[in-house]
Amino acid sequence: DHRKIGGYPDMNGQLWLLATFFTVVVGSILGVGYLFLNRPEKSARKARTGDTPALSLEDVPLPASRALLARTFRVVGESVPASQRENEPLRKRLSMAGYRWPTAVTIFYGIRIASALGLAGIVGWTVLFLHGDSQTALVPALCAAAFGYMLPDRILQARMRARAARIRGAIPAAVDLLVLALEAGQSLDQGMHDVARALVRPYPELSEEFLFFHLEVQAGKSRYEALAHLAERSADAEMKKLVAVLLDGD
C-alpha cells in the first residue's frame, strides 16, 4: 500500500530506534539481575570485620545506586501479598544461593514484578507500534509478563547450582585442614572455625557456611542441630555427605 509506506518515510530508522530501546531496557533488567541475583558474596566479603559474615542487606555497604534499587525493589515486593507470608521454601532457596538478607524474599518478589512489567511493556509497545492494534498486543504482552516473572527464578536456580559447585570444589581442602586440626587436639567446633578462617579467601562460600555453623553453636544450638542446618543450607550432595560423616563421628 503506497499510502502506508508514505506514512512512514523513515521506517527503518524507527525500527532501529525501537531495537536500540529494547536492547537498553532488557540490558538494564539483566544488569539488575546481575547486581542482586549474582555474586552477592563480593559485597559480603568487603563488609566483613574479622571473620564474621554480614548477615543482612543493611550490614553491607552498597553504592547509592544499588541501595536505591534495593529500596525500590523492597517497596515493590512489599505490595505482593505472597511476600508478606512466611515463605520458607523460597527463603531456603535464596539461602542456598547465598542470599541471607532478612529482606531477601521481599526484594526477590520486587525483582520478579519489575521484570514482568518491564518485559510486558517492551513487548506490548513493540507490537502496538508495529501493528497499531491494542488487541493484537495483549497476548504477546501477557506472555512476556509470564516470562519476565519466571526469569529471576531461573537465574536463582543457576546461582544455586554455581554456588554448590564452588562448595564442592572446596571440600577436599576443607577436609584436609579439618583432619589436621582434629589431630592437633582441637574440638570439632574450634577446628571448623579455624578452617573457615583459613578458607575465607580461596573458598569464601564454604568458609561462610562453616562460620554460620560456628555462630549457631555459639548462640546455644547443639552441635547436631548446627550440623543439620549446615546440610540444609547446601544444595550439594558432597556437602551433605561430609555433614553425615561429621554427625556419625559426633
mmCIF file of all heavy atoms in Angstrom, residues 62-95:
data_model
loop_
_atom_site.group_PDB
_atom_site.id
_atom_site.type_symbol
_atom_site.label_atom_id
_atom_site.label_comp_id
_atom_site.label_asym_id
_atom_site.label_seq_id
_atom_site.Cartn_x
_atom_site.Cartn_y
_atom_site.Cartn_z
ATOM 1 N N LEU A 62 26.458 -0.497 50.348
ATOM 2 C CA LEU A 62 26.157 -0.515 48.919
ATOM 3 C C LEU A 62 26.359 0.876 48.335
ATOM 4 O O LEU A 62 26.140 1.880 49.013
ATOM 5 C CB LEU A 62 24.709 -0.960 48.684
ATOM 6 C CG LEU A 62 24.331 -2.381 49.097
ATOM 7 C CD1 LEU A 62 22.836 -2.574 48.899
ATOM 8 C CD2 LEU A 62 25.100 -3.410 48.295
ATOM 9 N N PRO A 63 26.754 0.945 47.047
ATOM 10 C CA PRO A 63 26.746 2.240 46.375
ATOM 11 C C PRO A 63 25.344 2.838 46.369
ATOM 12 O O PRO A 63 24.349 2.117 46.511
ATOM 13 C CB PRO A 63 27.224 1.897 44.953
ATOM 14 C CG PRO A 63 27.936 0.595 45.091
ATOM 15 C CD PRO A 63 27.264 -0.142 46.210
ATOM 16 N N ALA A 64 25.267 4.143 46.196
ATOM 17 C CA ALA A 64 23.972 4.822 46.284
ATOM 18 C C ALA A 64 22.971 4.260 45.279
ATOM 19 O O ALA A 64 21.786 4.087 45.597
ATOM 20 C CB ALA A 64 24.159 6.327 46.062
ATOM 21 N N SER A 65 23.440 3.958 44.046
ATOM 22 C CA SER A 65 22.519 3.451 43.024
ATOM 23 C C SER A 65 21.963 2.087 43.397
ATOM 24 O O SER A 65 20.767 1.830 43.261
ATOM 25 C CB SER A 65 23.235 3.373 41.670
ATOM 26 O OG SER A 65 24.377 2.526 41.758
ATOM 27 N N ARG A 66 22.820 1.220 43.907
ATOM 28 C CA ARG A 66 22.359 -0.118 44.299
ATOM 29 C C ARG A 66 21.462 -0.052 45.526
ATOM 30 O O ARG A 66 20.494 -0.806 45.637
ATOM 31 C CB ARG A 66 23.548 -1.037 44.560
ATOM 32 C CG ARG A 66 24.326 -1.399 43.311
ATOM 33 C CD ARG A 66 25.376 -2.445 43.591
ATOM 34 N NE ARG A 66 24.786 -3.669 44.093
ATOM 35 C CZ ARG A 66 25.495 -4.737 44.449
ATOM 36 N NH1 ARG A 66 26.807 -4.702 44.374
ATOM 37 N NH2 ARG A 66 24.901 -5.815 44.890
ATOM 38 N N ALA A 67 21.789 0.838 46.473
ATOM 39 C CA ALA A 67 20.941 0.985 47.655
ATOM 40 C C ALA A 67 19.550 1.482 47.258
ATOM 41 O O ALA A 67 18.532 1.023 47.797
ATOM 42 C CB ALA A 67 21.590 1.942 48.644
ATOM 43 N N LEU A 68 19.505 2.413 46.293
ATOM 44 C CA LEU A 68 18.214 2.913 45.815
ATOM 45 C C LEU A 68 17.422 1.807 45.131
ATOM 46 O O LEU A 68 16.211 1.666 45.348
ATOM 47 C CB LEU A 68 18.435 4.081 44.855
ATOM 48 C CG LEU A 68 17.172 4.682 44.222
ATOM 49 C CD1 LEU A 68 16.254 5.234 45.305
ATOM 50 C CD2 LEU A 68 17.542 5.777 43.228
ATOM 51 N N LEU A 69 18.095 1.004 44.302
ATOM 52 C CA LEU A 69 17.411 -0.115 43.656
ATOM 53 C C LEU A 69 16.903 -1.114 44.684
ATOM 54 O O LEU A 69 15.795 -1.637 44.560
ATOM 55 C CB LEU A 69 18.368 -0.810 42.679
ATOM 56 C CG LEU A 69 18.598 -0.116 41.340
ATOM 57 C CD1 LEU A 69 19.689 -0.831 40.560
ATOM 58 C CD2 LEU A 69 17.318 -0.050 40.533
ATOM 59 N N ALA A 70 17.719 -1.385 45.707
ATOM 60 C CA ALA A 70 17.300 -2.328 46.741
ATOM 61 C C ALA A 70 16.050 -1.831 47.456
ATOM 62 O O ALA A 70 15.101 -2.595 47.678
ATOM 63 C CB ALA A 70 18.437 -2.541 47.745
ATOM 64 N N ARG A 71 16.037 -0.549 47.809
ATOM 65 C CA ARG A 71 14.851 0.005 48.482
ATOM 66 C C ARG A 71 13.642 -0.024 47.557
ATOM 67 O O ARG A 71 12.520 -0.315 47.988
ATOM 68 C CB ARG A 71 15.132 1.437 48.949
ATOM 69 C CG ARG A 71 16.105 1.520 50.115
ATOM 70 C CD ARG A 71 16.097 2.913 50.736
ATOM 71 N NE ARG A 71 16.563 3.917 49.801
ATOM 72 C CZ ARG A 71 17.828 4.297 49.680
ATOM 73 N NH1 ARG A 71 18.764 3.721 50.436
ATOM 74 N NH2 ARG A 71 18.189 5.230 48.824
ATOM 75 N N THR A 72 13.871 0.279 46.272
ATOM 76 C CA THR A 72 12.758 0.266 45.316
ATOM 77 C C THR A 72 12.169 -1.125 45.177
ATOM 78 O O THR A 72 10.938 -1.304 45.234
ATOM 79 C CB THR A 72 13.237 0.776 43.942
ATOM 80 O OG1 THR A 72 13.777 2.092 44.078
ATOM 81 C CG2 THR A 72 12.083 0.794 42.952
ATOM 82 N N PHE A 73 13.030 -2.125 44.997
ATOM 83 C CA PHE A 73 12.530 -3.494 44.864
ATOM 84 C C PHE A 73 11.858 -3.969 46.146
ATOM 85 O O PHE A 73 10.886 -4.733 46.103
ATOM 86 C CB PHE A 73 13.661 -4.441 44.485
ATOM 87 C CG PHE A 73 14.121 -4.292 43.062
ATOM 88 C CD1 PHE A 73 15.463 -4.224 42.763
ATOM 89 C CD2 PHE A 73 13.211 -4.223 42.035
ATOM 90 C CE1 PHE A 73 15.893 -4.085 41.451
ATOM 91 C CE2 PHE A 73 13.619 -4.087 40.719
ATOM 92 C CZ PHE A 73 14.972 -4.009 40.428
ATOM 93 N N ARG A 74 12.368 -3.527 47.291
ATOM 94 C CA ARG A 74 11.750 -3.937 48.552
ATOM 95 C C ARG A 74 10.349 -3.347 48.676
ATOM 96 O O ARG A 74 9.408 -4.040 49.089
ATOM 97 C CB ARG A 74 12.618 -3.490 49.728
ATOM 98 C CG ARG A 74 12.081 -3.953 51.081
ATOM 99 C CD ARG A 74 13.083 -3.632 52.175
ATOM 100 N NE ARG A 74 13.351 -2.205 52.216
ATOM 101 C CZ ARG A 74 14.384 -1.667 52.856
ATOM 102 N NH1 ARG A 74 15.274 -2.441 53.457
ATOM 103 N NH2 ARG A 74 14.562 -0.359 52.869
ATOM 104 N N VAL A 75 10.185 -2.071 48.283
ATOM 105 C CA VAL A 75 8.865 -1.439 48.332
ATOM 106 C C VAL A 75 7.907 -2.131 47.378
ATOM 107 O O VAL A 75 6.750 -2.411 47.727
ATOM 108 C CB VAL A 75 8.977 0.062 48.000
ATOM 109 C CG1 VAL A 75 7.594 0.677 47.823
ATOM 110 C CG2 VAL A 75 9.734 0.788 49.105
ATOM 111 N N VAL A 76 8.385 -2.435 46.162
ATOM 112 C CA VAL A 76 7.533 -3.143 45.203
ATOM 113 C C VAL A 76 7.182 -4.529 45.720
ATOM 114 O O VAL A 76 6.033 -4.973 45.628
ATOM 115 C CB VAL A 76 8.249 -3.238 43.831
ATOM 116 C CG1 VAL A 76 7.444 -4.110 42.876
ATOM 117 C CG2 VAL A 76 8.444 -1.852 43.233
ATOM 118 N N GLY A 77 8.172 -5.229 46.287
ATOM 119 C CA GLY A 77 7.911 -6.567 46.800
ATOM 120 C C GLY A 77 6.956 -6.585 47.970
ATOM 121 O O GLY A 77 6.178 -7.536 48.134
ATOM 122 N N GLU A 78 6.969 -5.527 48.791
ATOM 123 C CA GLU A 78 6.056 -5.476 49.936
ATOM 124 C C GLU A 78 4.601 -5.339 49.496
ATOM 125 O O GLU A 78 3.695 -5.632 50.289
ATOM 126 C CB GLU A 78 6.436 -4.303 50.846
ATOM 127 C CG GLU A 78 7.725 -4.553 51.628
ATOM 128 C CD GLU A 78 8.179 -3.317 52.388
ATOM 129 O OE1 GLU A 78 7.594 -2.241 52.152
ATOM 130 O OE2 GLU A 78 9.128 -3.443 53.192
ATOM 131 N N SER A 79 4.370 -4.904 48.263
ATOM 132 C CA SER A 79 2.997 -4.799 47.759
ATOM 133 C C SER A 79 2.436 -6.143 47.308
ATOM 134 O O SER A 79 1.247 -6.239 47.016
ATOM 135 C CB SER A 79 2.940 -3.802 46.597
ATOM 136 O OG SER A 79 3.697 -4.285 45.487
ATOM 137 N N VAL A 80 3.299 -7.164 47.240
ATOM 138 C CA VAL A 80 2.857 -8.500 46.837
ATOM 139 C C VAL A 80 2.424 -9.259 48.087
ATOM 140 O O VAL A 80 3.228 -9.433 49.012
ATOM 141 C CB VAL A 80 3.986 -9.263 46.115
ATOM 142 C CG1 VAL A 80 3.509 -10.639 45.679
ATOM 143 C CG2 VAL A 80 4.471 -8.453 44.914
ATOM 144 N N PRO A 81 1.178 -9.720 48.164
ATOM 145 C CA PRO A 81 0.720 -10.416 49.375
ATOM 146 C C PRO A 81 1.569 -11.635 49.721
ATOM 147 O O PRO A 81 1.799 -11.916 50.895
ATOM 148 C CB PRO A 81 -0.726 -10.809 49.028
ATOM 149 C CG PRO A 81 -1.142 -9.833 47.970
ATOM 150 C CD PRO A 81 0.098 -9.543 47.188
ATOM 151 N N ALA A 82 2.050 -12.350 48.704
ATOM 152 C CA ALA A 82 2.817 -13.569 48.978
ATOM 153 C C ALA A 82 4.104 -13.267 49.725
ATOM 154 O O ALA A 82 4.586 -14.099 50.499
ATOM 155 C CB ALA A 82 3.122 -14.295 47.668
ATOM 156 N N SER A 83 4.679 -12.078 49.513
ATOM 157 C CA SER A 83 5.940 -11.760 50.187
ATOM 158 C C SER A 83 5.752 -11.479 51.659
ATOM 159 O O SER A 83 6.711 -11.521 52.437
ATOM 160 C CB SER A 83 6.578 -10.543 49.514
ATOM 161 O OG SER A 83 5.806 -9.370 49.735
ATOM 162 N N GLN A 84 4.512 -11.179 52.087
ATOM 163 C CA GLN A 84 4.251 -10.893 53.495
ATOM 164 C C GLN A 84 4.030 -12.162 54.298
ATOM 165 O O GLN A 84 4.110 -12.130 55.525
ATOM 166 C CB GLN A 84 3.013 -9.977 53.621
ATOM 167 C CG GLN A 84 3.136 -8.680 52.854
ATOM 168 C CD GLN A 84 4.342 -7.864 53.270
ATOM 169 O OE1 GLN A 84 4.645 -7.749 54.453
ATOM 170 N NE2 GLN A 84 5.058 -7.318 52.290
ATOM 171 N N ARG A 85 3.734 -13.267 53.611
ATOM 172 C CA ARG A 85 3.570 -14.536 54.310
ATOM 173 C C ARG A 85 4.930 -15.193 54.520
ATOM 174 O O ARG A 85 5.906 -14.891 53.835
ATOM 175 C CB ARG A 85 2.650 -15.472 53.504
ATOM 176 C CG ARG A 85 1.243 -14.930 53.318
ATOM 177 C CD ARG A 85 0.322 -16.028 52.817
ATOM 178 N NE ARG A 85 0.731 -16.516 51.499
ATOM 179 C CZ ARG A 85 0.245 -16.044 50.368
ATOM 180 N NH1 ARG A 85 -0.644 -15.071 50.372
ATOM 181 N NH2 ARG A 85 0.645 -16.532 49.220
ATOM 182 N N GLU A 86 4.976 -16.082 55.464
ATOM 183 C CA GLU A 86 6.218 -16.802 55.718
ATOM 184 C C GLU A 86 6.483 -17.739 54.548
ATOM 185 O O GLU A 86 5.742 -18.700 54.324
ATOM 186 C CB GLU A 86 6.110 -17.619 57.020
ATOM 187 C CG GLU A 86 7.405 -18.284 57.438
ATOM 188 C CD GLU A 86 8.527 -17.294 57.716
ATOM 189 O OE1 GLU A 86 8.224 -16.156 58.114
ATOM 190 O OE2 GLU A 86 9.699 -17.658 57.510
ATOM 191 N N ASN A 87 7.506 -17.452 53.796
ATOM 192 C CA ASN A 87 7.802 -18.197 52.570
ATOM 193 C C ASN A 87 9.092 -18.977 52.784
ATOM 194 O O ASN A 87 10.143 -18.626 52.262
ATOM 195 C CB ASN A 87 7.924 -17.236 51.380
ATOM 196 C CG ASN A 87 7.710 -17.936 50.063
ATOM 197 O OD1 ASN A 87 8.058 -19.110 49.921
ATOM 198 N ND2 ASN A 87 7.139 -17.236 49.101
ATOM 199 N N GLU A 88 8.994 -20.025 53.569
ATOM 200 C CA GLU A 88 10.190 -20.761 53.952
ATOM 201 C C GLU A 88 10.871 -21.449 52.775
ATOM 202 O O GLU A 88 12.105 -21.430 52.689
ATOM 203 C CB GLU A 88 9.847 -21.790 55.033
ATOM 204 C CG GLU A 88 11.050 -22.405 55.716
ATOM 205 C CD GLU A 88 11.903 -21.370 56.422
ATOM 206 O OE1 GLU A 88 11.342 -20.351 56.880
ATOM 207 O OE2 GLU A 88 13.126 -21.566 56.493
ATOM 208 N N PRO A 89 10.141 -22.081 51.843
ATOM 209 C CA PRO A 89 10.839 -22.716 50.709
ATOM 210 C C PRO A 89 11.659 -21.725 49.884
ATOM 211 O O PRO A 89 12.804 -22.016 49.519
ATOM 212 C CB PRO A 89 9.693 -23.320 49.883
ATOM 213 C CG PRO A 89 8.596 -23.540 50.862
ATOM 214 C CD PRO A 89 8.694 -22.400 51.827
ATOM 215 N N LEU A 90 11.094 -20.553 49.594
ATOM 216 C CA LEU A 90 11.836 -19.556 48.813
ATOM 217 C C LEU A 90 13.019 -19.031 49.610
ATOM 218 O O LEU A 90 14.117 -18.855 49.057
ATOM 219 C CB LEU A 90 10.912 -18.414 48.413
ATOM 220 C CG LEU A 90 11.576 -17.254 47.639
ATOM 221 C CD1 LEU A 90 12.257 -17.767 46.377
ATOM 222 C CD2 LEU A 90 10.554 -16.175 47.309
ATOM 223 N N ARG A 91 12.829 -18.776 50.899
ATOM 224 C CA ARG A 91 13.941 -18.294 51.721
ATOM 225 C C ARG A 91 15.052 -19.339 51.773
ATOM 226 O O ARG A 91 16.237 -18.991 51.770
ATOM 227 C CB ARG A 91 13.459 -17.950 53.130
ATOM 228 C CG ARG A 91 14.542 -17.342 54.002
ATOM 229 C CD ARG A 91 13.992 -16.803 55.288
ATOM 230 N NE ARG A 91 13.097 -15.688 55.097
ATOM 231 C CZ ARG A 91 13.511 -14.444 54.901
ATOM 232 N NH1 ARG A 91 14.816 -14.164 54.865
ATOM 233 N NH2 ARG A 91 12.646 -13.472 54.743
ATOM 234 N N LYS A 92 14.684 -20.611 51.813
ATOM 235 C CA LYS A 92 15.693 -21.666 51.825
ATOM 236 C C LYS A 92 16.473 -21.682 50.517
ATOM 237 O O LYS A 92 17.704 -21.837 50.517
ATOM 238 C CB LYS A 92 15.017 -23.020 52.058
ATOM 239 C CG LYS A 92 15.975 -24.189 52.141
ATOM 240 C CD LYS A 92 15.230 -25.480 52.425
ATOM 241 C CE LYS A 92 16.196 -26.661 52.481
ATOM 242 N NZ LYS A 92 15.477 -27.940 52.732
ATOM 243 N N ARG A 93 15.793 -21.510 49.394
ATOM 244 C CA ARG A 93 16.477 -21.488 48.100
ATOM 245 C C ARG A 93 17.382 -20.262 47.981
ATOM 246 O O ARG A 93 18.489 -20.349 47.459
ATOM 247 C CB ARG A 93 15.445 -21.495 46.974
ATOM 248 C CG ARG A 93 14.674 -22.820 46.870
ATOM 249 C CD ARG A 93 13.504 -22.705 45.932
ATOM 250 N NE ARG A 93 13.937 -22.282 44.612
ATOM 251 C CZ ARG A 93 13.211 -21.545 43.788
ATOM 252 N NH1 ARG A 93 12.023 -21.112 44.174
ATOM 253 N NH2 ARG A 93 13.664 -21.219 42.610
ATOM 254 N N LEU A 94 16.898 -19.121 48.472
ATOM 255 C CA LEU A 94 17.740 -17.927 48.467
ATOM 256 C C LEU A 94 18.978 -18.131 49.334
ATOM 257 O O LEU A 94 20.078 -17.696 48.981
ATOM 258 C CB LEU A 94 16.936 -16.721 48.962
ATOM 259 C CG LEU A 94 15.872 -16.182 47.997
ATOM 260 C CD1 LEU A 94 14.942 -15.209 48.709
ATOM 261 C CD2 LEU A 94 16.519 -15.502 46.805
ATOM 262 N N SER A 95 18.799 -18.808 50.471
ATOM 263 C CA SER A 95 19.937 -19.082 51.342
ATOM 264 C C SER A 95 20.932 -20.004 50.651
ATOM 265 O O SER A 95 22.149 -19.820 50.771
ATOM 266 C CB SER A 95 19.452 -19.709 52.647
ATOM 267 O OG SER A 95 20.530 -20.029 53.495
#
